[in-house]
Amino acid sequence: MAPNGPVGLAVVSNRGPVSFRYDRAGGLVARRAGGGMVAALGPGVRRHGALWLSAAISDADRDAALAGVVEAEGYRVRWLLIDAAEYRMYYDVIANGSLWFLHHGLWDLPRRPRFDRRWWEAWEAYRAVNRRFAAVVADVVDDGATVLVHDYHLALVCGELAALRPDLRTTAFVHTPFCTPEEIGILPRDVGTSILAGLASAGACGFHAVRWATAFQACCEDRLGRPANTFVSPAAPDRADLARVAGSTACAAELRWLDQTVGDRRLIVRVDRIELSKNLLRGFHAFDDLLEARPALRGEVVFAAFVYPSREGLAEYLAYRQEVESTVRRINQKWATATWTPIILDTSDNHPRSVAALRRYDVLLVNPVRDGLNLVAKEGPLLNERNGVLALSPWAGAWDELGRNAIEVHPFDVADASDALASALDMPAAERAERAIALKDAASRRRPTEWFDDLLAAARPPGW
Amino acid sequence: MAPNGPVGLAVVSNRGPVSFRYDRAGGLVARRAGGGMVAALGPGVRRHGALWLSAAISDADRDAALAGVVEAEGYRVRWLLIDAAEYRMYYDVIANGSLWFLHHGLWDLPRRPRFDRRWWEAWEAYRAVNRRFAAVVADVVDDGATVLVHDYHLALVCGELAALRPDLRTTAFVHTPFCTPEEIGILPRDVGTSILAGLASAGACGFHAVRWATAFQACCEDRLGRPANTFVSPAAPDRADLARVAGSTACAAELRWLDQTVGDRRLIVRVDRIELSKNLLRGFHAFDDLLEARPALRGEVVFAAFVYPSREGLAEYLAYRQEVESTVRRINQKWATATWTPIILDTSDNHPRSVAALRRYDVLLVNPVRDGLNLVAKEGPLLNERNGVLALSPWAGAWDELGRNAIEVHPFDVADASDALASALDMPAAERAERAIALKDAASRRRPTEWFDDLLAAARPPGW
């Protein structure tokens, strides 16, 4: 199928900006897809009229692709059809089940990973899907076009493109952290080398923070014997979109609900996927310690966790969710009174409610064990209306922009995290205000379109 | 208590060369302590008549210390009395439960470590015990004496000594791997810095392999802003002692038992502590895959694992042992016949039997996820009488000396490990013989006393 008009600029990512569902009559209905990457890319893509290539994930997506939908929600789109079994191997086993764990340091190494025959079959699927993405890109973009490839799902695409279409200007942007040279050795040797070579074949490889670019360079020098062309450009929140949601009647209703629920108490908030790297468990343990160490806070503070289920096709995520739920249950049983529930665990994925919580927090806890950037750490200060304190892990890429005015939370030290929450709650009003202004300033310094322009400016032919 | 004679040379380690038990009449009986460190240090200590300072671990040890025993099994000894509760915090919580996990990369980071108030109390115990060791050393050694401090239990001793007795010449030898700069950041910041500063205060810090010295240097430069004085000297097996055990009647009896049990079948052997870093589980999974992939081997090969319980005071080790036992049970249920048990799991800690197995193997599997050196990889080729093949993980420090003539086993890739076992079993006799000779040569190139002499030669005053 020919693309809809000339394609001088294409964005390639596993998940696209739009997903489909069936209405009651069986018709296809488009809706904006969630996720941080779409939020970050959307404004730039729309402004430039770029073509967005992504995988058709649901049955409705496939039907839309087969029906020839080429435009939806203001985006020019093109879908790849991938066999469902192949998609599971590429996406669940390799991308999310292996590369995500690798880059975030999440493996329990005495037990996982275990690269068995089934895993090797999945790796072949990953290679095939990456080749297919590259072939479609090569097929549809104009001479000398710019192609912006995204994330760990598609680490081999730029390598394929360098062979198929050396005329293209490319970037490979990695949204996750990047592992160390020691860690990449956990992968089978050829696999690690393929991934590095694939990324390094891009005209430039982008990262949200200097440390991930440095780690990637160290891997390339160690394994490929040469540096890659890298750049660093942290993504920015979409303020217009945040303002739209914050100003909605749905958000106002959620804020009223929150006001009623929390009352005069102080409010600690977290907003995350239920994700192993986000460190939910130690956040709750730190709060438990805080109530132990500071009896005066009992009954006076609520920890509201807006955490929504994610990747439940992976056993690790199901197990983690159960641990989260039982940890919260245990702490609530320990401390709750007739009029006070210490932890509110909300897994409903209610976006207006999360935005209301970000407007309302006294302390925002962002304590990942490792995180490429963490957009919530930027969105919180932009939305917050109470001079709330940001309690931030230095292992989040966003630390580089926000750390100066955040309270540091050590992700593994729950005694330290408890003390950090106490300092945040104790902070004098003047200091809270001063830091809140500085955080708002840091978080609004860049717009999504500037980030997108960095990607465009970095794009180069391979081997440039 | 004054030491027995002048002390120009002292060795300091948590575990000493001798432990005590009570006989039936309640009398104290000395016996040589097990463990690789004693085997490596023993010959040098005896030759130089060094004083050996260590912790009194059992009640019998304490009684011996109180009774003033200063000489046992040919060693001049001195014990530190440590309160049992304090010892558990220092030894179980910090040394084995934290520093061992750190340096071997064994943490399941979404869950562990969790530095809570109890952990901080344990860290204070660790500091106190280290200070106590340093105070006793400072008290008993002569002016300008040489002090050789060992391992992760005593990482702060050389720092204390540098302040108390700057006249001493010291080395801190680290027998484990050493973590990367990223990994040391998992510890609370002050704790990581204390450990690095403590080690770097030694006249010289020694390691079994270049990569661990490099990692330590990277940590020091990153955290302390300066390099440390390091040296690399891999420990060597005690050939005289191995020959003594191999020549014993007990070993001959065990060899007969093994011959009867294995018969004409080929024999894969492993000898290890039941230890998370040793990668027992993936070794069994690789064997399972081998039987799946190579039907002709069914009934024709036995995997004998001589693995003895260790650190059962830590929940992680109890859980790991159960996983090992259930994995073996499952694989045996899957493949066993009336006349063939595929895996023999022997947890009896029978040293003559382990030596017999090393004499008898066709393939020795040493596949750790990370290992400072691994003495078994050297002992095997020295003892083996069948031109057995060494299947070795490159993540063991011993790889540097033995890798050229071993078959490489990727510790996380069970498909690769299965293929490696197959190649080892398939190897033509001439190649086996050639490699066996080269391995024996590499493993016998150095003696324990030469290793000890390296430590002596490296010892310097602090800040040298």
mmCIF file of all heavy atoms in Angstrom, chain A residues 220-236:
data_model
loop_
_atom_site.group_PDB
_atom_site.id
_atom_site.type_symbol
_atom_site.label_atom_id
_atom_site.label_comp_id
_atom_site.label_asym_id
_atom_site.label_seq_id
_atom_site.Cartn_x
_atom_site.Cartn_y
_atom_site.Cartn_z
ATOM 1 N N CYS A 220 29.826 0.155 23.570
ATOM 2 C CA CYS A 220 30.271 0.138 22.170
ATOM 3 C C CYS A 220 31.788 0.028 22.091
ATOM 4 O O CYS A 220 32.325 -0.728 21.276
ATOM 5 C CB CYS A 220 29.802 1.394 21.437
ATOM 6 S SG CYS A 220 28.036 1.390 21.104
ATOM 7 N N GLU A 221 32.478 0.775 22.940
ATOM 8 C CA GLU A 221 33.939 0.723 22.879
ATOM 9 C C GLU A 221 34.438 -0.648 23.317
ATOM 10 O O GLU A 221 35.353 -1.203 22.719
ATOM 11 C CB GLU A 221 34.541 1.833 23.738
ATOM 12 C CG GLU A 221 34.019 3.183 23.251
ATOM 13 C CD GLU A 221 34.957 4.348 23.484
ATOM 14 O OE1 GLU A 221 35.958 4.184 24.188
ATOM 15 O OE2 GLU A 221 34.656 5.435 22.934
ATOM 16 N N ASP A 222 33.797 -1.192 24.337
ATOM 17 C CA ASP A 222 34.198 -2.498 24.851
ATOM 18 C C ASP A 222 33.913 -3.609 23.846
ATOM 19 O O ASP A 222 34.736 -4.488 23.624
ATOM 20 C CB ASP A 222 33.424 -2.749 26.144
ATOM 21 C CG ASP A 222 33.861 -4.006 26.855
ATOM 22 O OD1 ASP A 222 35.064 -4.102 27.156
ATOM 23 O OD2 ASP A 222 33.016 -4.885 27.115
ATOM 24 N N ARG A 223 32.751 -3.553 23.200
ATOM 25 C CA ARG A 223 32.298 -4.687 22.405
ATOM 26 C C ARG A 223 32.540 -4.506 20.918
ATOM 27 O O ARG A 223 32.880 -5.457 20.209
ATOM 28 C CB ARG A 223 30.805 -4.916 22.672
ATOM 29 C CG ARG A 223 30.262 -6.228 22.203
ATOM 30 C CD ARG A 223 30.940 -7.406 22.882
ATOM 31 N NE ARG A 223 30.424 -7.689 24.190
ATOM 32 C CZ ARG A 223 29.318 -8.397 24.447
ATOM 33 N NH1 ARG A 223 28.636 -8.920 23.458
ATOM 34 N NH2 ARG A 223 28.920 -8.601 25.673
ATOM 35 N N LEU A 224 32.340 -3.261 20.415
ATOM 36 C CA LEU A 224 32.507 -3.025 18.978
ATOM 37 C C LEU A 224 33.884 -2.439 18.668
ATOM 38 O O LEU A 224 34.272 -2.346 17.505
ATOM 39 C CB LEU A 224 31.428 -2.068 18.463
ATOM 40 C CG LEU A 224 29.961 -2.411 18.796
ATOM 41 C CD1 LEU A 224 29.031 -1.326 18.259
ATOM 42 C CD2 LEU A 224 29.577 -3.780 18.233
ATOM 43 N N GLY A 225 34.574 -1.996 19.736
ATOM 44 C CA GLY A 225 35.892 -1.409 19.515
ATOM 45 C C GLY A 225 35.847 -0.023 18.893
ATOM 46 O O GLY A 225 36.841 0.454 18.334
ATOM 47 N N ARG A 226 34.718 0.628 18.997
ATOM 48 C CA ARG A 226 34.612 1.974 18.424
ATOM 49 C C ARG A 226 33.494 2.726 19.142
ATOM 50 O O ARG A 226 32.571 2.119 19.681
ATOM 51 C CB ARG A 226 34.288 1.906 16.928
ATOM 52 C CG ARG A 226 32.938 1.284 16.622
ATOM 53 C CD ARG A 226 32.645 1.359 15.138
ATOM 54 N NE ARG A 226 31.403 0.678 14.803
ATOM 55 C CZ ARG A 226 30.219 1.252 14.811
ATOM 56 N NH1 ARG A 226 30.094 2.515 15.180
ATOM 57 N NH2 ARG A 226 29.132 0.576 14.457
ATOM 58 N N PRO A 227 33.569 4.054 19.135
ATOM 59 C CA PRO A 227 32.474 4.814 19.739
ATOM 60 C C PRO A 227 31.294 4.907 18.782
ATOM 61 O O PRO A 227 31.420 4.643 17.587
ATOM 62 C CB PRO A 227 33.095 6.191 19.970
ATOM 63 C CG PRO A 227 34.116 6.310 18.888
ATOM 64 C CD PRO A 227 34.646 4.918 18.629
ATOM 65 N N ALA A 228 30.147 5.278 19.317
ATOM 66 C CA ALA A 228 28.975 5.572 18.484
ATOM 67 C C ALA A 228 28.733 7.075 18.540
ATOM 68 O O ALA A 228 29.328 7.774 19.360
ATOM 69 C CB ALA A 228 27.767 4.821 19.007
ATOM 70 N N ASN A 229 27.890 7.554 17.656
ATOM 71 C CA ASN A 229 27.522 8.966 17.681
ATOM 72 C C ASN A 229 26.293 9.111 18.570
ATOM 73 O O ASN A 229 25.223 8.608 18.241
ATOM 74 C CB ASN A 229 27.232 9.438 16.243
ATOM 75 C CG ASN A 229 26.959 10.927 16.185
ATOM 76 O OD1 ASN A 229 27.403 11.682 17.056
ATOM 77 N ND2 ASN A 229 26.222 11.352 15.169
ATOM 78 N N THR A 230 26.465 9.756 19.717
ATOM 79 C CA THR A 230 25.346 9.851 20.654
ATOM 80 C C THR A 230 24.948 11.304 20.902
ATOM 81 O O THR A 230 25.729 12.217 20.637
ATOM 82 C CB THR A 230 25.694 9.238 22.024
ATOM 83 O OG1 THR A 230 26.780 9.968 22.600
ATOM 84 C CG2 THR A 230 26.085 7.771 21.888
ATOM 85 N N PHE A 231 23.746 11.475 21.401
ATOM 86 C CA PHE A 231 23.319 12.787 21.879
ATOM 87 C C PHE A 231 22.369 12.587 23.052
ATOM 88 O O PHE A 231 21.822 11.504 23.237
ATOM 89 C CB PHE A 231 22.661 13.609 20.763
ATOM 90 C CG PHE A 231 21.329 13.074 20.294
ATOM 91 C CD1 PHE A 231 20.135 13.655 20.702
ATOM 92 C CD2 PHE A 231 21.263 11.984 19.436
ATOM 93 C CE1 PHE A 231 18.913 13.169 20.268
ATOM 94 C CE2 PHE A 231 20.046 11.481 19.001
ATOM 95 C CZ PHE A 231 18.863 12.077 19.413
ATOM 96 N N VAL A 232 22.250 13.620 23.859
ATOM 97 C CA VAL A 232 21.389 13.551 25.036
ATOM 98 C C VAL A 232 20.334 14.636 24.940
ATOM 99 O O VAL A 232 20.656 15.808 24.726
ATOM 100 C CB VAL A 232 22.204 13.737 26.331
ATOM 101 C CG1 VAL A 232 21.278 13.796 27.550
ATOM 102 C CG2 VAL A 232 23.212 12.599 26.477
ATOM 103 N N SER A 233 19.087 14.237 25.058
ATOM 104 C CA SER A 233 17.996 15.208 25.036
ATOM 105 C C SER A 233 16.838 14.652 25.849
ATOM 106 O O SER A 233 16.134 13.762 25.394
ATOM 107 C CB SER A 233 17.560 15.480 23.589
ATOM 108 O OG SER A 233 16.486 16.392 23.593
ATOM 109 N N PRO A 234 16.652 15.164 27.062
ATOM 110 C CA PRO A 234 15.559 14.649 27.893
ATOM 111 C C PRO A 234 14.205 15.083 27.339
ATOM 112 O O PRO A 234 14.041 16.240 26.953
ATOM 113 C CB PRO A 234 15.819 15.271 29.262
ATOM 114 C CG PRO A 234 16.730 16.429 29.024
ATOM 115 C CD PRO A 234 17.461 16.187 27.747
ATOM 116 N N ALA A 235 13.273 14.158 27.316
ATOM 117 C CA ALA A 235 11.923 14.487 26.849
ATOM 118 C C ALA A 235 11.262 15.447 27.828
ATOM 119 O O ALA A 235 11.665 15.571 28.984
ATOM 120 C CB ALA A 235 11.087 13.219 26.703
ATOM 121 N N ALA A 236 10.252 16.134 27.322
ATOM 122 C CA ALA A 236 9.559 17.159 28.110
ATOM 123 C C ALA A 236 8.079 16.834 28.166
ATOM 124 O O ALA A 236 7.534 16.247 27.232
ATOM 125 C CB ALA A 236 9.781 18.523 27.468
#
